[in-house]
Amino acid sequence: MSTSDSTVDTKRSLILAAGELFAEQGLAGVSIRDIVRKAGATLSAVNYHFGSKVGLYQETVRYALEHHINAEDTVALVRKVTIATPQEAADFLYEFVLRLFRNYLAPEHPRWLERLINRAVVDASEDVSATIAEVLRPADEAIRDMLLRCVPGLHSTEADLWRMCLTGQIHYFLMARSVINQLLNRDEDAYSPEFIEQSARYVARNMVSNLGLPLPAPVREGELKPPSP
């Protein structure tokens, strides 16, 4: 293994080890020694790669968010699409919302990622808030641009509110997983792929409808079913 590969592996090991610990105990509850012990690294490696424990915490939050939102694909999808009719706009917006749900709530994501995101959002310092905003901004702006392109006559202020409503709904599903399962009398600790899909379709359909666009093709073809408990 080259020195470069070893450096990358050490950095990744520190992020994964620290992320799991921060997710369970928070920034204040974890020491650098706890992290390097779990990662099999050294104190100097933390300083070299991240500068401090706070710097490492910010990078773990960045890592967790990037894995949930898949921002690069989201931005690329919006930039390449061509929309010529209201029906095309409705179909694209519907599928776009489904994609966001699937990315954010994908069952294969390690659960510590969502616990860390929840902690970071609730307890964020100014620096951590800036990191979260930096990671979210490209996808968030892509959603805004997509809405302005899809919905004739939509004002930029309305587009801002709509994008916050959409991301807020998706994040609620992430933050309130245990509460939602209790409310729906579900014994599962995780969401089933079917529940994620049904919930995504419900939110997508209502968003398209409330924006005054035609019913998306999948809805007209009878694919939507209410989420089952």
Side-chain angles (χ1 to χ4, degrees), residues 109-223:
H109 290 317
R111 292 294 296 275
W112 69 262
L113 296 178
E114 72 180 55
R115 289 195 295 270
L116 180 61
I117 292 171
N118 292 344
R119 278 187 179 275
V121 170
V122 173
D123 301 329
S125 65
E126 185 173 344
D127 287 343
V128 174
S129 294
T131 298
I132 295 172
E134 179 186 344
V135 176
L136 295 181
R137 183 168 289 111
D140 199 53
E141 291 181 348
I143 294 172
R144 178 181 183 275
D145 293 343
M146 178 266 297
L147 287 169
L148 290 172
R149 291 165 61 186
C150 285
V151 186
L154 187 69
H155 190 273
S156 59
T157 301
E158 292 179 293
D160 286 334
L161 293 171
W162 271 108
R163 67 176 175 173
M164 284 184 277
C165 287
L166 173 58
T167 55
Q169 287 181 85
I170 296 173
H171 193 68
Y172 173 73
F173 275 87
L174 186 73
M175 291 190 70
R177 184 190 303 267
S178 296
V179 174
I180 289 172
N181 281 332
Q182 288 286 336
L183 290 172
L184 295 178
N185 298 315
R186 294 165 53 91
D187 294 331
E188 295 88 346
D189 182 49
Y191 294 142
S192 68
E194 180 185 23
F195 178 77
I196 293 171
E197 191 71 11
Q198 291 175 336
S199 300
R201 290 182 181 278
Y202 186 81
V203 171
R205 177 190 177 181
N206 279 282
M207 185 169 186
V208 170
S209 177
N210 287 324
L211 282 166
L213 293 170
L215 280 180
V219 176
R220 294 200 314 274
E221 294 164 7
E223 292 186 12

Side-chain angles (χ1 to χ4, degrees), residues 41-128:
T42 63
L43 293 172
S44 60
V46 174
N47 292 328
Y48 174 77
H49 289 292
F50 309 103
S52 65
K53 186 175 77 168
V54 172
L56 175 53
Y57 181 75
Q58 289 176 253
E59 286 305 306
T60 63
V61 172
R62 182 188 301 277
Y63 177 91
L65 285 168
E66 287 176 345
H67 277 68
H68 268 284
I69 65 177
N70 202 3
E72 289 185 6
D73 285 354
T74 299
V75 173
L77 180 67
V78 171
R79 286 178 175 171
K80 74 179 182 182
V81 70
T82 300
I83 297 171
T85 67
Q87 187 63 62
E88 289 179 355
D91 292 346
F92 175 75
L93 178 56
Y94 181 78
E95 293 298 333
F96 182 85
V97 174
L98 296 186
R99 185 187 184 96
L100 290 180
F101 258 86
R102 292 164 182 160
N103 284 346
Y104 215 81
L105 300 177
E108 61 266 24
H109 290 317
R111 292 294 296 275
W112 69 262
L113 296 178
E114 72 180 55
R115 289 195 295 270
L116 180 61
I117 292 171
N118 292 344
R119 278 187 179 275
V121 170
V122 173
D123 301 329
S125 65
E126 185 173 344
D127 287 343
V128 174

